[in-house]
Amino acid sequence: MTLEARNRPDRTAGEGDAVAPGPTLARPAPGAAEKRARLRRDAFRALAALALALTAALMAASAAASPPGDARSNFCALGLAFYLLALLVSLRSDGLGLTTFRLASWVLAGASVLYGFATLSLAGQDRTGTFAAVDPALVPRASAVLAVGFTAFALGNKLHPKILMRPVVRLLDLGRSGLRTSVASRLAIFAVYCTGLGATVAQLVLLGNYAYIGGSDVQSTTQSEGYTQVLVLLTSLRTYALFAAAARFALSGLLADRACLLGLLCTELVIGLLGGTKESFVIALLAVLIPVVTLSGRRIPWAAIVVASAIFVFFVTPFVTSLRADVREGGSRLDAEESIRVGLESLVSGGSAVDGTDDGPREQLRTVVSRLRLIDNEIVIIDKTPVAIPYRPITEMAVAPVTAVIPRAVWPGKPLRVSGLEFYRAYYRGEGVSSSALTFQGSLYMYGGIGVAVAGMFVLGGALRAVDDARERLGGLRGGLIATIVFVPVVKQELDAVSLLASIPVFLVTYYVVVLALFRRPTKGRPQS
């Protein structure tokens, strides 16, 4: 039994299955009242953007008048944050685009926090370890480079030619005949989730690692088996089975579908916590939130966002931080089996992984903010490139999508992308085998300075606009699925240019696999969504 993402002419909504909205009728021409309301909204948006821009200018002037030190860095951070918010407000004429998961809108909103407000935590930072390579005196210069880059990003998003959307729609739609547009049965969803769970177990057995546990940073950066890529793809099916369960519940509202969704969500949250990654918590919630919002037409409930944020800050982050410390206890690293045992004991007993720190809520919040901060990335890059470290060959970006298409099982000698490891050692002078996040804009600077960074950000803005427009054009299940796949990697902004380009074929393969596994063709004779 499937849930069609269309009205069924031969059944009523009260016969068991919830019915998704049918095709939207053409809207009548706006009346005088609607035009006046639109003018008021446009005027309010223009005033808000102007106020934010003036605030950013005031912060920049205060930074220029301040002596070098924390005060100047803080003024620059606030100025950048308010400027990025001004770009966000002026980006679209029909709203901010946050409640509809527009990628460019969330990139700017996220950047205002990651590069702006989070930079305030740099003041008073203990400059030991990797932080010794970060010079706070370069915050003004880094903020200026980021402001120029994100201005180009916003311009690319607003000025992109609409013709770019058409090939994206064709690539994702396959002429409508190849895509499936209704959700599979609960049994099929459960089977797909178990497939992903089996791939996770296989990764633990064959590779000895998963996510953070079992020395995965060493494994992922120094070696790769021929089947690793396939296992990673199959493991991601857990997230998309959760997406399908949420979509099915959004369309039906049945108690059985709610139980299926809650069961998969709780399982996924536990697996993510045991893997030692905070990102898994966000991905699981988005896999539920995106289909519910896109299919029901509801806005994101702010109360739920506040509760989820509090859980993330005051439970997930302390738990993951303490679990990682337990895994690395004594200078060595526990294997995967021991790591899982420690994590389970901590979850059941509420032990050290939750309360093993004496930090209060304020210090926990500061820890979370400092971990979100990305200005360090930009500072070390503009400080050492090209004076101490030469520019990288731009051809690396050109061949990345091509090499990513060929599986390692076919090409065992395919070069490893170890950009995070190389970046950690070259720019932070780190020792050992570890990895540091490399951002898209920072990596562009490494290929030719501010000129390449500005051009790349302009192209990225246009590309995300094409994806957003194509997603809205496809709508429904397909649009929600695209958002679920790309939202976190894009908005998190911890993906370098080469990795982003190389991920395009992986995204397409993931999209087609999920569609074939979890969507069904509409009933013959009925139109597709």
Side-chain angles (χ1 to χ4, degrees):
M1 177 177 168
T2 62
L3 296 175
E4 299 290 350
R6 282 288 183 187
N7 281 326
R8 296 189 176 187
D10 56 342
R11 293 184 61 181
T12 64
E15 292 179 331
D17 289 344
V19 179
T24 305
L25 299 177
R27 296 181 60 185
E34 185 175 348
K35 289 182 178 179
R36 287 194 297 270
R38 183 180 302 172
L39 287 174
R40 285 194 298 269
R41 288 194 300 268
D42 292 343
F44 176 79
R45 187 176 296 109
L47 288 174
L50 179 61
L52 289 168
L54 290 175
T55 304
L58 178 62
M59 294 295 106
S62 300
S66 300
D70 289 344
R72 175 178 288 185
S73 297
N74 289 342
F75 279 127
C76 287
L78 291 173
L80 178 62
F82 285 118
Y83 179 71
L84 293 175
L85 291 177
L87 291 178
L88 169 62
V89 172
S90 60
L91 189 64
R92 297 179 57 80
S93 59
D94 58 349
L96 296 180
L98 298 177
T99 57
T100 54
F101 299 100
R102 299 284 296 189
L103 295 174
S105 300
W106 275 99
V107 165
L108 289 174
S112 68
V113 175
L114 301 174
Y115 290 107
F117 294 118
T119 304
L120 298 175
S121 64
L122 190 61
Q125 176 77 54
D126 184 14
R127 296 189 62 191
T128 58
T130 57
F131 293 114
V134 181
D135 186 1
L138 292 177
V139 169
R141 182 181 171 191
S143 299
V145 172
L146 289 166
V148 173
F150 280 109
T151 300
F153 173 84
L155 289 174
N157 193 263
K158 288 185 71 71
L159 302 178
H160 92 294
K162 292 185 178 181
I163 194 174
L164 292 177
M165 179 188 69
R166 296 173 185 170
V168 177
V169 171
R170 292 194 185 100
L171 192 62
L172 298 175
D173 191 37
L174 293 179
R176 289 180 173 262
S177 61
L179 284 183
R180 307 182 176 195
T181 54
S182 60
V183 187
S185 64
R186 287 186 293 273
L187 181 61
I189 293 172
F190 183 73
V192 170
Y193 188 86
C194 288
T195 301
L197 191 60
T200 304
V201 174
Q203 188 174 344
L204 283 167
V205 173
L206 298 176
L207 301 178
N209 70 81
Y210 169 69
Y212 183 81
I213 64 175
S216 58
D217 57 343
V218 177
Q219 182 82 7
S220 61
T221 55
T222 59
Q223 57 181 310
S224 182
E225 301 292 343
Y227 48 78
T228 302
Q229 195 170 6
V230 176
L231 284 179
V232 171
L233 177 60
L234 292 177
T235 298
S236 68
L237 291 179
R238 302 198 325 263
T239 299
Y240 306 120
L242 184 60
F243 169 88
R248 185 177 176 89
F249 172 67
L251 293 174
S252 73
L254 295 176
L255 184 60
D257 290 329
R258 176 182 294 180
C260 176
L261 171 60
L262 291 177
L264 294 185
L265 176 59
C266 292
T267 304
E268 191 64 17
L269 291 176
V270 170
I271 292 175
L273 288 175
L274 293 179
T277 58
K278 300 183 291 291
E279 182 178 316
S280 60
F281 175 81
V282 179
I283 292 176
L285 292 187
L286 285 173
V288 174
L289 184 63
I290 289 176
V292 170
V293 170
T294 55
L295 293 177
S296 67
R298 302 171 185 169
R299 291 185 177 272
I300 302 176
W302 288 105
I305 293 178
V306 171
V307 172
S309 300
I311 294 174
F312 180 81
V313 171
F314 300 116
F315 175 77
V316 174
T317 297
F319 179 89
V320 169
T321 300
S322 185
L323 176 61
R324 290 186 175 192
D326 291 341
V327 169
R328 297 191 305 265
E329 185 177 5
S332 60
R333 190 156 187 158
L334 300 179
D335 59 21
E337 182 179 352
E338 285 296 314
S339 299
I340 293 175
R341 182 187 62 79
V342 170
L344 283 173
E345 289 178 354
S346 300
L347 275 178
V348 173
S349 64
S352 65
V354 177
D355 55 17
T357 174
D358 294 331
D359 294 339
R362 184 174 181 179
E363 285 302 316
Q364 291 180 8
L365 180 60
R366 181 183 177 86
T367 300
V368 172
V369 172
S370 65
R371 290 181 178 274
L372 292 175
R373 189 180 65 230
L374 292 181
I375 195 74
D376 306 35
N377 182 276
E378 195 74 17
I379 288 175
V380 296
I381 289 174
I382 66 175
D383 184 28
K384 298 182 178 181
T385 310
V387 178
I389 301 175
Y391 292 128
R392 299 182 66 89
I394 202 168
T395 53
E396 289 183 358
M397 290 191 289
V399 300
V402 179
T403 58
V405 173
I406 307 174
R408 191 168 298 279
V410 178
W411 183 8
K414 184 171 71 170
L416 285 168
R417 292 196 310 273
V418 290
S419 55
L421 174 62
E422 292 176 348
F423 181 72
Y424 172 73
R425 289 178 174 176
Y427 283 87
Y428 286 100
R429 302 299 182 189
E431 298 179 357
V433 180
S434 187
S435 181
S436 179
L438 181 56
T439 64
F440 183 81
Q441 183 159 245
S443 66
L444 287 173
Y445 194 97
M446 296 166 60
Y447 287 97
I450 191 170
V452 174
V454 170
M457 291 297 287
F458 183 86
V459 173
L460 178 64
L464 293 187
R465 175 65 180 272
V467 173
D468 279 332
D469 290 349
R471 186 169 57 85
E472 290 187 354
R473 176 75 174 271
L474 294 171
L477 295 171
R478 292 172 293 179
L481 175 60
I482 295 169
T484 303
I485 295 174
V486 304
F487 187 87
V488 169
V490 170
V491 176
K492 188 181 179 184
Q493 303 184 45
E494 293 185 0
L495 198 62
D496 63 279
V498 171
S499 298
L500 180 61
L501 291 171
S503 67
I504 294 176
V506 178
F507 157 73
L508 292 174
V509 171
T510 303
Y511 177 76
Y512 295 139
V513 168
V514 173
V515 165
L516 292 173
L518 294 173
F519 293 173
R520 300 270 313 243
R521 295 182 188 276
T523 306
K524 187 175 181 181
R526 291 181 182 140
Q528 300 184 43
S529 64

